[in-house]
Amino acid sequence: MLSLENVDVFYSKSQALHNISLHVAAGEFVTILGANGAGKSTIMKCIMGLVQPKSGRVFYNGADITEKEPWERAAMGIGYVPEGRRVFPDFTIEENLKMGGYSLPDPKRLQENMEKAYQLFPRLWERKKQAAKTMSGGEQQMLAIARALMLNPKLLLIDEISMGLMPILVNHSLNIIAKLHQEGITVLLVEQNANKALKYAGRGYILKTGKITMEDSCVNLSHNEDVIKAYLGE
């Protein structure tokens, strides 16, 4: 479904990604693990078209999307939950969801997708007229996920779902993601909390200073001595 081939990304003269190649098959739940500053978010932004690679290509369902705009990628079926949630703070929950479904041509379908979001996250229904900035971090994370689902994505990119959340809310959010995966959505999760990510995903990449150093099943990664030492705190 998704592949990056030999991708290099620079911020000014500083190279953030070095010859990155990875793939995600349809139906997979894949995670990218690495320390803060390793380049995980840059990979997600590159997939979504928010940063352009200096070299290399990005493919989605066999099509080269390297030159596509972010909104074109969203329309093709890629959903994105950005790091730090990035909800529209002064918009209500309802307005945030409508922004997520901005390109749906049918108002009826927009309404149906909003109802699905409310079923998935009843708390959002209870507070749908409330400004997003008045919500807790956990509630904003729910909203960010719900907003990303408004265009019925086939691939969901999730950047640091655990950031700033209490453990119980992290578990709740990951359980929702696991449910969506079971319902057929392909998931690529970037996460600093390796313990959590390895329990939910099926396969993972280890990213270190902009380079992929390891790729394996999450079962094998969770028993790898180098991974345990570097990321699992044991």
Side-chain angles (χ1 to χ4, degrees):
M1 178 177 276
L2 173 75
S3 65
L4 275 65
E5 296 185 2
N6 309 116
V7 167
D8 292 321
V9 171
F10 286 77
Y11 293 118
S12 188
K13 294 181 180 179
S14 176
Q15 188 165 2
L17 297 180
H18 301 258
N19 198 36
I20 294 294
S21 293
L22 61 81
H23 69 277
V24 180
E28 275 198 298
F29 190 146
V30 176
T31 186
I32 302 173
L33 304 176
N36 190 33
K40 304 186 302 298
S41 293
T42 299
I43 289 178
M44 299 300 247
K45 290 175 181 176
C46 186
I47 295 168
M48 203 64 219
L50 298 170
V51 299
Q52 283 296 314
K54 185 170 184 180
S55 59
R57 313 302 293 175
V58 181
F59 295 90
Y60 175 69
N61 280 337
D64 187 338
I65 63 168
T66 312
E67 308 298 331
K68 295 283 188 185
E69 298 289 354
W71 55 87
E72 293 177 300
R73 302 182 196 209
M76 292 173 75
I78 303 177
Y80 179 47
V81 181
E83 181 182 13
R85 299 174 280 277
R86 302 298 294 272
V87 297
F88 300 104
D90 294 316
F91 286 11
T92 64
I93 290 168
E94 189 173 66
E95 289 167 340
N96 267 272
L97 293 178
K98 285 181 178 177
M99 287 297 291
Y102 74 98
S103 65
L104 290 174
D106 182 2
K108 184 179 177 183
R109 191 171 161 208
L110 176 66
Q111 190 59 40
E112 287 173 352
N113 286 1
M114 288 180 68
E115 288 171 6
K116 286 180 187 176
Y118 290 141
Q119 289 170 7
L120 194 61
F121 298 106
R123 180 68 63 87
L124 300 183
W125 164 258
E126 295 167 8
R127 306 191 176 192
K128 63 180 181 177
K129 298 298 184 184
Q130 187 173 321
K133 66 183 178 185
T134 66
M135 300 165 67
S136 70
E139 290 165 343
Q140 289 186 21
Q141 187 63 276
M142 293 177 199
L143 178 56
I145 296 169
R147 182 181 61 186
L149 296 174
M150 286 296 295
L151 291 181
N152 303 111
K154 299 176 182 68
L155 169 66
L156 191 57
L157 310 176
I158 306 166
D159 194 351
E160 297 285 11
I161 199 168
S162 68
M163 179 178 285
L165 296 186
M166 294 184 296
I168 190 171
L169 293 175
V170 174
N171 290 338
H172 176 70
S173 295
L174 284 168
N175 285 335
I176 291 290
I177 299 305
K179 180 183 176 184
L180 293 169
H181 175 244
Q182 289 167 4
E183 292 174 357
I185 295 178
T186 302
V187 177
L188 178 60
L189 171 72
V190 155
E191 185 53 63
Q192 204 168 339
N193 188 327
N195 280 296
K196 297 289 186 187
L198 291 172
K199 287 176 183 175
Y200 283 85
R203 188 167 60 85
Y205 292 90
I206 303 296
L207 191 69
K208 188 174 181 181
T209 58
K211 300 173 184 176
I212 291 175
T213 59
M214 201 179 304
E215 181 263 324
D216 208 336
S217 71
C218 286
V219 172
N220 288 344
L221 289 174
S222 65
H223 291 92
N224 181 285
E225 288 188 10
D226 292 334
V227 174
I228 290 170
K229 196 176 295 183
Y231 302 106
L232 301 181
E234 296 177 17

